[in-house]
Short mmCIF file of all heavy atoms in Angstrom, two decimals:
data_model
loop_
_atom_site.label_atom_id
_atom_site.label_comp_id
_atom_site.label_asym_id
_atom_site.label_seq_id
_atom_site.Cartn_x
_atom_site.Cartn_y
_atom_site.Cartn_z
N GLU A 88 2.51 14.66 8.27
CA GLU A 88 1.28 15.07 9.01
C GLU A 88 0.42 15.94 8.08
O GLU A 88 -0.78 15.84 8.06
CB GLU A 88 1.53 15.83 10.32
CG GLU A 88 2.13 14.97 11.34
CD GLU A 88 0.99 14.28 12.12
OE1 GLU A 88 -0.10 14.77 12.18
OE2 GLU A 88 1.28 13.31 12.82
N ASP A 89 0.97 16.81 7.24
CA ASP A 89 0.22 17.78 6.51
C ASP A 89 -0.41 17.21 5.24
O ASP A 89 -1.22 17.70 4.51
CB ASP A 89 1.03 19.03 6.15
CG ASP A 89 2.28 18.79 5.38
OD1 ASP A 89 2.65 17.56 5.27
OD2 ASP A 89 2.85 19.69 4.81
N ASP A 90 0.02 15.88 4.88
CA ASP A 90 -0.55 15.27 3.67
C ASP A 90 -1.79 14.35 4.16
O ASP A 90 -1.69 13.14 4.12
CB ASP A 90 0.49 14.40 3.05
CG ASP A 90 0.24 13.88 1.73
OD1 ASP A 90 -1.01 13.91 1.29
OD2 ASP A 90 1.07 13.32 1.00
N CYS A 91 -2.84 14.99 4.50
CA CYS A 91 -3.99 14.32 5.10
C CYS A 91 -4.65 13.35 4.11
O CYS A 91 -5.14 12.26 4.60
CB CYS A 91 -5.02 15.39 5.55
SG CYS A 91 -4.51 16.42 6.73
N VAL A 92 -4.59 13.57 2.89
CA VAL A 92 -5.30 12.71 1.94
C VAL A 92 -4.63 11.37 1.92
O VAL A 92 -5.30 10.31 2.08
CB VAL A 92 -5.43 13.36 0.44
CG1 VAL A 92 -5.93 12.39 -0.54
CG2 VAL A 92 -6.22 14.60 0.50
N ARG A 93 -3.27 11.42 1.74
CA ARG A 93 -2.60 10.07 1.71
C ARG A 93 -2.67 9.43 2.99
O ARG A 93 -2.78 8.08 3.09
CB ARG A 93 -1.11 10.38 1.36
CG ARG A 93 -0.96 10.61 -0.17
CD ARG A 93 0.44 10.78 -0.62
NE ARG A 93 1.42 10.00 0.05
CZ ARG A 93 2.76 10.38 0.13
NH1 ARG A 93 3.09 11.56 -0.54
NH2 ARG A 93 3.63 9.68 0.78
N ARG A 94 -2.62 10.12 4.14
CA ARG A 94 -2.73 9.53 5.50
C ARG A 94 -4.11 8.93 5.60
O ARG A 94 -4.22 7.83 6.24
CB ARG A 94 -2.47 10.60 6.59
CG ARG A 94 -1.05 10.96 6.63
CD ARG A 94 -0.77 11.98 7.92
NE ARG A 94 -1.01 11.21 9.13
CZ ARG A 94 -0.05 10.36 9.70
NH1 ARG A 94 1.09 10.18 9.08
NH2 ARG A 94 -0.32 9.80 10.81
N ILE A 95 -5.21 9.56 5.19
CA ILE A 95 -6.46 8.91 5.37
C ILE A 95 -6.64 7.75 4.52
O ILE A 95 -7.19 6.70 4.98
CB ILE A 95 -7.58 10.02 4.96
CG1 ILE A 95 -7.58 11.11 6.06
CG2 ILE A 95 -9.01 9.31 4.79
CD1 ILE A 95 -8.45 12.31 5.70
N TYR A 96 -6.20 7.80 3.23
CA TYR A 96 -6.24 6.50 2.44
C TYR A 96 -5.51 5.41 3.12
O TYR A 96 -5.91 4.24 3.08
CB TYR A 96 -5.75 6.82 0.97
CG TYR A 96 -6.81 7.35 0.08
CD1 TYR A 96 -6.77 8.67 -0.31
CD2 TYR A 96 -7.87 6.63 -0.42
CE1 TYR A 96 -7.81 9.25 -1.03
CE2 TYR A 96 -8.80 7.06 -1.35
CZ TYR A 96 -8.88 8.43 -1.57
OH TYR A 96 -9.70 8.98 -2.34
N MET A 97 -4.24 5.61 3.53
CA MET A 97 -3.53 4.50 4.14
C MET A 97 -4.22 4.09 5.36
O MET A 97 -4.21 2.87 5.70
CB MET A 97 -2.07 5.12 4.51
CG MET A 97 -1.13 4.13 4.97
SD MET A 97 -0.65 2.91 3.73
CE MET A 97 0.68 2.14 4.54
N ALA A 98 -4.73 4.93 6.30
CA ALA A 98 -5.40 4.49 7.51
C ALA A 98 -6.62 3.70 7.11
O ALA A 98 -6.90 2.62 7.82
CB ALA A 98 -5.77 5.79 8.36
N ARG A 99 -7.39 4.14 6.18
CA ARG A 99 -8.59 3.29 5.77
C ARG A 99 -8.11 1.89 5.27
O ARG A 99 -8.80 0.88 5.59
CB ARG A 99 -9.27 3.97 4.60
CG ARG A 99 -10.20 5.04 5.14
CD ARG A 99 -10.97 5.65 3.92
NE ARG A 99 -11.78 6.67 4.47
CZ ARG A 99 -12.40 7.60 3.64
NH1 ARG A 99 -12.26 7.50 2.30
NH2 ARG A 99 -13.12 8.58 4.04
N HIS A 100 -7.05 1.91 4.53
CA HIS A 100 -6.43 0.59 4.12
C HIS A 100 -6.11 -0.29 5.29
O HIS A 100 -6.57 -1.44 5.32
CB HIS A 100 -5.32 0.79 3.23
CG HIS A 100 -4.52 -0.48 3.04
ND1 HIS A 100 -4.85 -1.43 2.20
CD2 HIS A 100 -3.33 -0.78 3.53
CE1 HIS A 100 -3.89 -2.42 2.18
NE2 HIS A 100 -2.99 -2.11 3.00
N ILE A 101 -5.36 0.27 6.30
CA ILE A 101 -5.08 -0.53 7.47
C ILE A 101 -6.22 -0.96 8.22
O ILE A 101 -6.38 -2.08 8.79
CB ILE A 101 -4.09 0.29 8.34
CG1 ILE A 101 -2.72 0.59 7.66
CG2 ILE A 101 -3.80 -0.24 9.68
CD1 ILE A 101 -1.80 1.64 8.18
N ILE A 102 -7.17 -0.07 8.38
CA ILE A 102 -8.45 -0.44 9.16
C ILE A 102 -9.15 -1.62 8.54
O ILE A 102 -9.61 -2.56 9.20
CB ILE A 102 -9.34 0.73 9.31
CG1 ILE A 102 -8.65 1.78 10.25
CG2 ILE A 102 -10.75 0.35 9.74
CD1 ILE A 102 -9.29 3.13 10.32
N GLU A 103 -9.29 -1.54 7.26
CA GLU A 103 -10.09 -2.64 6.48
C GLU A 103 -9.28 -3.92 6.50
O GLU A 103 -10.02 -4.90 6.52
CB GLU A 103 -10.30 -2.07 5.05
CG GLU A 103 -11.32 -0.98 4.90
CD GLU A 103 -11.50 -0.53 3.51
OE1 GLU A 103 -10.75 -0.92 2.60
OE2 GLU A 103 -12.08 0.62 3.37
N LYS A 104 -8.02 -3.87 6.44
CA LYS A 104 -7.24 -5.02 6.38
C LYS A 104 -7.02 -5.71 7.64
O LYS A 104 -6.86 -6.88 7.73
CB LYS A 104 -5.89 -4.77 5.62
CG LYS A 104 -5.09 -6.01 5.21
CD LYS A 104 -3.98 -5.63 4.44
CE LYS A 104 -3.12 -6.74 3.93
NZ LYS A 104 -1.99 -6.37 3.09
N TYR A 105 -6.83 -4.89 8.79
CA TYR A 105 -6.36 -5.43 10.11
C TYR A 105 -7.26 -5.19 11.26
O TYR A 105 -7.27 -5.93 12.22
CB TYR A 105 -4.94 -4.84 10.38
CG TYR A 105 -3.92 -5.11 9.35
CD1 TYR A 105 -3.54 -4.11 8.56
CD2 TYR A 105 -3.23 -6.35 9.25
CE1 TYR A 105 -2.53 -4.30 7.58
CE2 TYR A 105 -2.37 -6.50 8.31
CZ TYR A 105 -2.07 -5.54 7.49
OH TYR A 105 -1.03 -5.82 6.60
N ILE A 106 -8.13 -4.11 11.21
CA ILE A 106 -8.85 -3.78 12.34
C ILE A 106 -10.33 -4.27 12.46
O ILE A 106 -10.85 -4.52 13.46
CB ILE A 106 -8.77 -2.14 12.59
CG1 ILE A 106 -7.36 -1.73 12.67
CG2 ILE A 106 -9.54 -1.73 13.79
CD1 ILE A 106 -6.48 -2.30 13.71
N VAL A 107 -11.01 -4.02 11.34
CA VAL A 107 -12.44 -4.41 11.19
C VAL A 107 -12.61 -5.83 11.57
O VAL A 107 -11.88 -6.79 11.17
CB VAL A 107 -12.94 -4.17 9.84
CG1 VAL A 107 -14.40 -4.70 9.60
CG2 VAL A 107 -12.92 -2.75 9.39
N PRO A 108 -13.58 -6.05 12.50
CA PRO A 108 -13.76 -7.54 12.91
C PRO A 108 -14.10 -8.40 11.67
O PRO A 108 -14.90 -8.01 10.80
CB PRO A 108 -15.05 -7.45 13.81
CG PRO A 108 -14.95 -6.04 14.26
CD PRO A 108 -14.37 -5.16 13.22
N GLY A 109 -13.45 -9.60 11.65
CA GLY A 109 -13.55 -10.46 10.54
C GLY A 109 -12.73 -10.07 9.39
O GLY A 109 -12.77 -10.81 8.28
N ALA A 110 -11.92 -9.07 9.46
CA ALA A 110 -11.00 -8.70 8.35
C ALA A 110 -10.02 -9.88 8.00
O ALA A 110 -9.73 -10.75 8.85
CB ALA A 110 -10.12 -7.51 8.79
N ALA A 111 -9.57 -9.88 6.72
CA ALA A 111 -8.66 -11.02 6.28
C ALA A 111 -7.42 -11.23 7.13
O ALA A 111 -7.12 -12.46 7.32
CB ALA A 111 -8.22 -10.71 4.82
N MET A 112 -6.89 -10.17 7.70
CA MET A 112 -5.71 -10.30 8.58
C MET A 112 -5.96 -9.60 9.84
O MET A 112 -5.16 -8.83 10.35
CB MET A 112 -4.41 -9.66 7.80
CG MET A 112 -4.06 -10.45 6.62
SD MET A 112 -2.62 -9.93 5.77
CE MET A 112 -1.30 -10.51 6.78
N GLU A 113 -7.08 -9.81 10.47
CA GLU A 113 -7.56 -9.22 11.63
C GLU A 113 -6.39 -9.46 12.71
O GLU A 113 -5.94 -10.51 12.94
CB GLU A 113 -8.84 -9.73 12.21
CG GLU A 113 -9.35 -9.03 13.42
CD GLU A 113 -10.65 -9.56 13.87
OE1 GLU A 113 -11.25 -10.36 13.16
OE2 GLU A 113 -11.12 -9.22 14.96
N VAL A 114 -6.00 -8.34 13.48
CA VAL A 114 -5.06 -8.46 14.48
C VAL A 114 -5.69 -8.56 15.73
O VAL A 114 -6.80 -8.19 16.00
CB VAL A 114 -4.00 -7.20 14.47
CG1 VAL A 114 -3.10 -7.20 13.33
CG2 VAL A 114 -4.81 -5.96 14.63
N ASN A 115 -4.95 -9.18 16.72
CA ASN A 115 -5.42 -9.49 18.14
C ASN A 115 -5.12 -8.17 18.95
O ASN A 115 -3.98 -7.94 19.43
CB ASN A 115 -4.78 -10.59 18.73
CG ASN A 115 -5.30 -11.08 20.00
OD1 ASN A 115 -6.22 -10.51 20.57
ND2 ASN A 115 -4.64 -12.01 20.71
N ILE A 116 -6.08 -7.30 19.08
CA ILE A 116 -5.94 -6.07 19.86
C ILE A 116 -7.19 -5.99 20.86
O ILE A 116 -8.13 -6.69 20.64
CB ILE A 116 -5.79 -4.77 19.06
CG1 ILE A 116 -7.01 -4.60 18.16
CG2 ILE A 116 -4.44 -4.79 18.27
CD1 ILE A 116 -7.04 -3.33 17.38
N SER A 117 -7.00 -5.10 21.72
CA SER A 117 -8.24 -5.08 22.76
C SER A 117 -9.41 -4.45 22.07
O SER A 117 -9.26 -3.69 21.16
CB SER A 117 -7.75 -4.18 23.98
OG SER A 117 -7.58 -2.93 23.58
#
Side-chain angles (χ1 to χ4, degrees):
E88 288 274 341
D89 60 347
D90 192 350
C91 294
V92 173
R93 283 182 34 206
R94 289 187 67 79
I95 289 171
Y96 275 105
M97 185 72 170
R99 282 186 181 163
H100 165 76
I101 293 169
I102 290 169
E103 289 171 7
K104 191 171 182 180
Y105 302 102
I106 304 299
V107 173
M112 294 182 76
E113 183 179 355
V114 291
N115 186 8
I116 57 173
S117 70

